[in-house]
Amino acid sequence: MRAAEELLAIAVGELGTRESPAGSNKVKYASWYGLNGQPWCVMFVMWCFAQAGVSLPARTASCGALMRAAKAAGMWVTSNYKPGDVVIYDFPGGAVTDHCGIVESATAAAVTAIEGNTAVGNDSDGGAVMRRTRPLSQVVGACARYLRKKRRRTTW
């Protein structure tokens, strides 16, 4: 199985996982990371990549830190998102990097990703692993999978 397919199979297998108790940010991904009780969207992504045996450019629980590490490693893209990329979102009224997920598919208008700590009505701290489709207007960019790093292209 290719790396992106394996990674996505792991993420899809986690769909429906919820923190317990609700609203606590207590979930196995945060416990695994060592920060149980803290917002966990990036920790979910880190857990999935670890299960697949794939490294990201930094071990972090911060969307902003992951974005900066991806840029420094030449792994940052702002278009043509591919399955397995870690997409980072900016929602209105918050920080520049609010939330993230693992891209499952993308079109010219939207990305569909498997995301941790989301819910309909609470995009970036909702307490569940869900498949979400979001407009590209909410996407800051993505950490491209390690398999794409070797190509060293500036546009995708």
Side-chain angles (χ1 to χ4, degrees):
M1 189 180 277
R2 293 190 344 236
E5 291 170 347
E6 182 178 348
L7 173 66
L8 285 168
I10 290 165
V12 166
E14 298 300 307
L15 287 169
T17 301
R18 297 185 178 281
E19 58 192 40
S20 180
S24 68
N25 279 320
K26 292 187 177 181
V27 67
K28 69 181 183 180
Y29 320 108
S31 180
W32 166 84
Y33 194 85
L35 291 174
N36 213 12
Q38 299 299 312
W40 50 274
C41 65
V42 181
M43 291 183 266
F44 166 73
V45 167
M46 292 282 157
W47 183 90
C48 290
F49 272 74
Q51 301 309 301
V54 179
S55 296
L56 286 166
R59 185 177 192 279
T60 182
S62 162
C63 292
L66 181 58
M67 178 183 72
R68 288 185 295 278
K71 286 180 176 181
M75 297 172 71
W76 185 249
V77 297
T78 56
S79 63
N80 196 24
Y81 305 111
K82 303 292 184 199
D85 289 351
V86 180
V87 66
I88 296 178
Y89 306 105
D90 177 19
F91 302 133
V96 174
T97 57
D98 296 312
H99 188 62
C100 68
I102 301 169
V103 174
E104 196 171 32
S105 64
T107 67
V111 294
T112 298
I114 308 299
E115 302 173 12
N117 204 17
T118 191
V120 175
N122 190 345
D123 289 324
S124 61
D125 193 16
V129 177
M130 298 177 68
R131 177 180 284 118
R132 302 293 305 271
T133 300
R134 301 186 189 274
L136 288 182
S137 63
Q138 294 181 337
V139 175
V140 176
C143 176
R145 288 183 291 97
Y146 74 103
L147 296 174
R148 290 172 58 197
K149 180 181 177 187
K150 294 178 184 175
R151 292 159 77 175
R152 302 295 262 168
R153 295 172 61 182
T154 56
T155 58
W156 295 88

